[in-house]
């Protein structure tokens, strides 16, 4: 009987933890949209790239861009030269 209670409590605890992790993931995946490149560069000095394989078309940059497809998609309007890196500098 004790084993059955322990098993049920363990399964209930695992179920509650797994439900809680889904709500945290939904909150984390929301990408922030910035008004302009100045604000974006305060948090990401090298800008935001949509993948690690994109190359800068605008010449030499001083900083390496942060790679995040979700963040790039939310701020893709700030990618003036359409090279896959928004607000590079």
């Amino acid at each position: 009987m004790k084993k059955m209670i322990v098993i049920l409590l363990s399964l209930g605890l695992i179920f509650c933890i797994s439900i809680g992790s889904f709500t945290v993931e939904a909150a984390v995946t929301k990408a922030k949209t910035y008004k302009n490149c100045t604000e974006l560069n305060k948090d990401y000095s090298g800008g935001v790239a949509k993948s690690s394989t994109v190359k800068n078309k605008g010449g030499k940059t001083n900083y390496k861009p942060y790679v995040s497809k979700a963040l790039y998609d939310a701020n893709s309007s700030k990618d003036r030269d359409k090279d896959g890196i928004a607000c590079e500098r």
Side-chain angles (χ1 to χ4, degrees):
M1 188 66 178
K2 286 183 181 181
K3 285 184 181 181
M4 190 62 135
I5 292 173
V6 170
I7 291 172
L8 288 174
L9 288 175
S10 298
L11 288 175
L13 182 62
I14 291 170
F15 179 74
C16 290
I17 289 173
S18 65
I19 294 296
S21 67
F22 289 126
T23 58
V24 171
E25 287 178 18
V28 171
T29 58
K30 178 78 172 149
K32 183 176 179 182
T33 303
Y34 292 88
K35 285 195 277 186
N36 53 41
C37 283
T38 304
E39 288 189 12
L40 189 139
N41 288 138
K42 287 179 184 175
D43 292 337
Y44 305 100
S45 59
V48 177
K50 67 179 170 182
S51 77
S52 60
T53 60
V54 295
K55 301 292 182 197
N56 183 17
K57 293 180 184 175
K60 187 173 179 348
T61 58
N62 295 326
Y63 302 100
K64 185 176 178 182
Y66 178 77
V67 178
S68 170
K69 181 165 178 21
L71 191 59
Y72 176 82
D73 289 342
N75 297 285
S76 61
S77 63
K78 286 133 189 98
D79 185 8
R80 293 185 296 173
D81 55 0
K82 306 296 182 211
D83 61 353
I85 305 171
C87 301
E88 66 267 22
R89 50 180 208 148

